[in-house]
Amino acid sequence: GAYGFYQKLIWDQLDKCTAQPTAVSSSSMASSNSSSSNMVGKDDGSSSSSTSVVVPVQVTAGVLSGLTSALLTNPLDLIKTRLQVADAVNGVAPRWSAVLRELMQEEGLRGLLRGVAPRMASSAMWGTAMVSTYEFLKRICALPEAADAS
């Protein structure tokens, strides 16, 4: 989804901005796919867990995905809310197309984005909290790698 897209985009930009590519690159998307690959490569080829790079990327991707989902779904949510509070005419509830048509006539395209700022703020905070909690729990619950055991 949007989280993976933004995480890939951020890693791509980080790879372009740094002299050495990170082990968690856009080609592997390792930072979101496995707990053992949340690593950033060092000059000597070894890896170390670097939350100073991985966590900000994950948080930023969480914020951006929350903003995107709120922006894209706000028109649908607005129409749904208007349908819920609409009075039935002659016992018939209005259809979504009639609500959309009325909204466009009265307010134009700007009407579809009514209330989008608070919804974006809420979605960004919720997405960040959810992703951060998931990634934190994934790190602390991860089993040691098989290579470490031998």
Side-chain angles (χ1 to χ4, degrees), residues 94-108:
R95 300 181 57 86
W96 70 269
S97 56
V99 172
L100 177 61
R101 193 176 317 109
E102 181 182 337
L103 180 66
M104 293 299 289
Q105 287 174 349
E106 291 177 3
E107 301 181 45

Side-chain angles (χ1 to χ4, degrees), residues 120-139:
M120 288 175 78
S122 173
S123 293
M125 289 185 280
W126 175 248
T128 302
M130 184 176 58
V131 166
S132 300
T133 302
Y134 169 76
E135 294 295 341
F136 173 75
L137 291 174
K138 185 172 77 170
R139 286 175 186 269

Side-chain angles (χ1 to χ4, degrees), residues 64-103:
L64 292 173
S65 64
L67 293 173
T68 301
S69 67
L71 181 66
L72 294 177
T73 60
N74 192 71
L76 298 173
D77 194 48
L78 183 70
I79 292 169
K80 175 199 64 123
T81 302
R82 289 192 179 207
L83 281 170
Q84 289 173 336
V85 299
D87 292 329
V89 178
N90 296 330
V92 178
R95 300 181 57 86
W96 70 269
S97 56
V99 172
L100 177 61
R101 193 176 317 109
E102 181 182 337
L103 180 66

Side-chain angles (χ1 to χ4, degrees), residues 17-101:
C17 294
T18 59
Q20 67 183 34
T22 58
V24 182
S25 66
S26 61
S27 61
S28 66
M29 279 303 297
S31 64
S32 64
N33 292 336
S34 73
S35 59
S36 63
S37 59
N38 286 328
M39 310 290 179
V40 175
K42 290 182 178 178
D43 290 336
D44 61 359
S46 67
S47 294
S48 67
S49 179
S50 177
T51 57
S52 66
V53 175
V54 175
V55 171
V57 168
Q58 292 169 340
V59 169
T60 303
V63 168
L64 292 173
S65 64
L67 293 173
T68 301
S69 67
L71 181 66
L72 294 177
T73 60
N74 192 71
L76 298 173
D77 194 48
L78 183 70
I79 292 169
K80 175 199 64 123
T81 302
R82 289 192 179 207
L83 281 170
Q84 289 173 336
V85 299
D87 292 329
V89 178
N90 296 330
V92 178
R95 300 181 57 86
W96 70 269
S97 56
V99 172
L100 177 61
R101 193 176 317 109

